[in-house]
Amino acid sequence: MAMDGYVVPADPAVASAATTPAAVVIAAVKKKTQPATSWILVDSAGQGTILDADKHAIMHRVQIHARDLRILDPLLSYPSAILGRERAIVLNLEHIKAIITAEEVLLRDPSDENVVPVVEELQRRLPPAREGQASGENHGTQQADVDGGEEDESPFEFRALEVALEAICSFLAARTTELETAAYPALDELTSKISSRNLDRVRKLKSAMTRLTARVQKVRDELEQLLDDDDDMADLYLSRKASSSSPVSGSGVDWFAASPTIGSKISRASRASMATVHGDENDVEELEMLLEAYFMQIDSTLNKLTTLREYIDDTEDYINIQLDNHRNQLIQLELFLSAGTVCLSIYSLVAGIFGMNIPYTWNEGYGYVFVWVVVLTGILCLIVFLGIMSYARYKGLIGS
């Protein structure tokens, strides 16, 4: 029988399900039809395995709560976070959404073009250094032994965390470099020529810079918060917590009793190891050095964005000064035109007076008076115009 696109086999379970209430059957079908999320699992040997598991399977595998897994949901807008839990590290850094345990790494959406390089880097750097040492011995080189010994000292979760931090810092630095490459020429072009096209181009670049600055700031704040709290950094030591919480098996105790000499030696070594573990519980120097290195890198990226913002602000101030200068020139031109209009109005007043249709005796036989009136009125208008300009220059209303 077909139901909602799924073929249900005819077996006794189906027959019994037919007698159950419809609501229970619908709920079971909905639970089965929940889409599984694609994850990739990278183990300590560097082998990658694609997992199509729902959130309950992931929660059961890494033993985290639903609220921690919800942080990694791409449909929800959660800020960048690095959370240390009992047996896992929940990592939400931009497109890198991962769960790191003491033995494996789970990355969400492995088909994403930004996640593929991270997976490749994890597969390259997570395998134990003993393989690199063996290959170095076969080739007769000692440098590989030294490098492998240095890598072997770092726990698995720190190597995975370093790959994620390096990837996100490089990603944000690359975006910043691209923005700088596009922004500085656009700002210089706007300075040389103010146009609507250049203004719109700079506006889009400024919006992109604001969004990128917020993303970089979130990552920087998360690293700074971790560096300020030793307890949070201690929670990221998964291997240390796993070794300190592992109990001694009963068979081992019997074997120790049967072999007192060997058992006493191993017991002393175990007590010394446990004392070292408990003594190092508050030692977070290794993680602190790791976080400080990438904190400085992300802080350098933020400083570049701050410098770009200051350059944009300086360009805006320069543009505003230019616009104010043009506005002042227009005001000066308006002052000149207004003064000329006042002078011409005097001319129009004289012409209006003499143009009145009123009989007067001296109009006949005194034609030369017209010439004198025109000349004297023009001289008077010119004197008034120069007086207005001199007064405006004296008060600083126009340039010298």
Side-chain angles (χ1 to χ4, degrees), residues 255-292:
W255 185 70
F256 291 161
S259 305
T261 304
I262 300 177
S264 61
K265 292 181 179 179
I266 297 179
S267 299
R268 287 195 298 269
S270 300
R271 287 195 297 271
S273 177
M274 293 296 293
T276 303
V277 169
H278 288 293
D280 292 341
E281 284 183 355
N282 296 325
D283 184 13
V284 294
E285 182 179 359
E286 181 181 0
L287 179 59
E288 187 175 4
M289 293 176 62
L290 173 65
L291 294 178
E292 281 181 353

Side-chain angles (χ1 to χ4, degrees), residues 118-323:
V118 182
V119 175
E120 294 176 353
E121 190 68 14
L122 285 172
Q123 292 176 342
R124 186 181 69 86
R125 295 171 59 175
L126 287 185
R130 289 189 298 271
E131 299 177 0
Q133 292 176 359
S135 63
E137 291 175 358
N138 293 332
H139 288 84
T141 59
Q142 298 179 355
Q143 185 65 29
D145 297 341
V146 177
D147 297 339
E150 292 179 354
E151 292 180 0
D152 194 28
E153 295 177 359
S154 181
F156 172 83
E157 62 270 17
F158 288 175
R159 298 201 303 271
L161 180 62
E162 183 178 5
V163 171
L165 291 175
E166 181 180 351
I168 194 61
C169 290
S170 301
F171 175 80
L172 294 176
R175 301 290 84 76
T176 302
T177 302
E178 292 177 0
L179 184 62
E180 287 179 334
T181 304
Y184 284 114
L187 292 171
D188 295 338
E189 185 177 355
L190 178 62
T191 302
S192 60
K193 181 181 179 182
I194 302 175
S195 63
S196 300
R197 175 180 172 274
N198 291 336
L199 287 172
D200 185 68
R201 182 183 177 188
V202 171
R203 179 188 62 82
K204 293 179 180 178
L205 290 172
K206 186 177 181 181
S207 300
M209 183 206 64
T210 303
R211 293 191 297 269
L212 183 58
T213 302
R215 294 162 60 187
V216 174
Q217 185 69 47
K218 289 178 182 178
V219 177
R220 181 188 180 276
D221 292 343
E222 184 62 26
L223 292 179
E224 185 177 13
Q225 183 179 358
L226 274 177
L227 288 170
D228 291 340
D229 196 335
D230 291 345
D231 294 335
D232 289 343
M233 285 191 288
D235 290 338
L236 302 183
Y237 280 80
L238 302 180
S239 301
R240 178 192 297 175
K241 290 189 292 185
S243 61
S244 62
S245 62
S246 58
V248 179
S249 61
S251 61
V253 174
D254 296 338
W255 185 70
F256 291 161
S259 305
T261 304
I262 300 177
S264 61
K265 292 181 179 179
I266 297 179
S267 299
R268 287 195 298 269
S270 300
R271 287 195 297 271
S273 177
M274 293 296 293
T276 303
V277 169
H278 288 293
D280 292 341
E281 284 183 355
N282 296 325
D283 184 13
V284 294
E285 182 179 359
E286 181 181 0
L287 179 59
E288 187 175 4
M289 293 176 62
L290 173 65
L291 294 178
E292 281 181 353
Y294 291 101
F295 176 78
M296 293 176 62
Q297 184 175 350
I298 200 69
D299 189 61
S300 175
T301 302
L302 184 61
N303 290 334
K304 290 181 180 179
L305 291 172
T306 303
T307 303
L308 179 59
R309 175 181 289 276
E310 292 176 354
Y311 192 83
I312 291 177
D313 293 338
D314 294 341
T315 304
E316 289 179 349
D317 294 339
Y318 178 75
I319 297 301
N320 290 331
I321 292 174
Q322 280 190 335
L323 294 177

